[in-house]
Amino acid sequence: MLEIKNLSKTYGNGVRALDNVSLNIPKGMYGLLGPNGAGKSTLMRTIATLQNADQGSIDFNGIDVLKEPAKLRAQLGYLPQDFGVYPRMSARAMLDHLAILKGLSDNKERKRVVEGLLEQTNLKKVAKKSVASYSGGMRQRFGIAQALIGDPQLIIVDEPTAGLDPEERNRFHNLLSEIGENVVVILSTHIVEDVADLCPRMAILNQGRIVAEGVPSDLIAQLDGKVWMKRISKEELPEHRTRYRVISTRLTQGEVLIHVEAAENPGDGFEAIAPDLEDVYFSTITANQSDAAAA
Ligand code: ADP
């Protein structure tokens, strides 16, 4: 269990990236959803002991993460948002190298671990190729392979599917869901489907604050009977925005499909619609933004 309490961080330029964030994250896949700039990477890097918070605490199974970073690192697997330079080294050689750095000094054992990870991430056939030549999806799977060295109990993946095509994303999802229910896996993303498909629990972060937390189906149920849709022309959009609480707009075939949130049927050609996680996300984010605008 990962317990984050009252975590805050303001950067030197005055941006308050984390504002009193508290979360209890159990074993299994946990989705942290939020738009760009919400503070997700700041939170992930702080948990991964790569940067400090101004206040608050993080506890992982009894380890005080901010005070005992080395202890946490021994149990951590991290796939950063920006994996950085891709080596002109084969995936197998690179994993072997990283495994040595993680302290796997026994040659036989290390070979077993490296081959197991190549197998698990479906990279065995391309293990001799340089990582620099890999496609986006292969790089992300390689990223997971390196994150899994040394049986981490806490795995953090930051925006792993950004830029992947649907097939690669699907593969990556399958890989993540196989990692297991016995470790804490935090998936940070701005893509709603990533969380909807994979995560039994989730939180939404916006402007540094947790604005929703729980089981996705429970969050969806809270919107039951409150989401209405209508097809309108582009010209009608500004007027609809002033009259209704528009939570999402999607352009289809020259028309705009809008979702609005209202306790009762607004009439005016609106139809009831069963809410999904995307509605939850946009409803929460837009509510939060109008609060901020009103303040
Ligand atoms: P996300 O990962 O959700 O996109 P980030 O944690 O990267 O969010 O950023 C949160 C906010 O903090 C943004 O406004 C971003 O511009 C700002 N920020 C991030 N890193 C720094 C930094 N090193 N210095 C100053 N501002 C930063």
Side-chain angles (χ1 to χ4, degrees), residues 11 13 15 17 35-42 45 81:
Y11 285 110
N13 59 0
V15 173
N36 287 331
K40 303 182 297 298
S41 288
T42 301
R45 288 198 306 261
Q81 184 170 6

Side-chain angles (χ1 to χ4, degrees), residues 87-94 123-134 138 142:
R88 300 206 171 275
M89 205 191 222
S90 80
R92 181 178 277 124
M94 189 66 200
L123 289 173
K124 205 142 196 175
K125 276 194 205 134
V126 289
K128 278 192 204 154
K129 290 195 176 166
S130 103
V131 180
S133 72
Y134 278 7
M138 284 154 75
F142 175 78

Side-chain angles (χ1 to χ4, degrees), residues 222-238:
Q222 288 170 17
L223 268 188
D224 256 344
K226 294 185 193 156
V227 183
W228 312 87
M229 69 153 209
K230 186 181 173 186
R231 273 173 212 288
I232 57 173
S233 68
K234 259 197 250 172
E235 293 70 35
E236 292 173 289
L237 186 57

Side-chain angles (χ1 to χ4, degrees), residues 211-228:
V211 291
E213 205 280 325
V215 176
S217 58
D218 291 347
L219 297 175
I220 293 169
Q222 288 170 17
L223 268 188
D224 256 344
K226 294 185 193 156
V227 183
W228 312 87

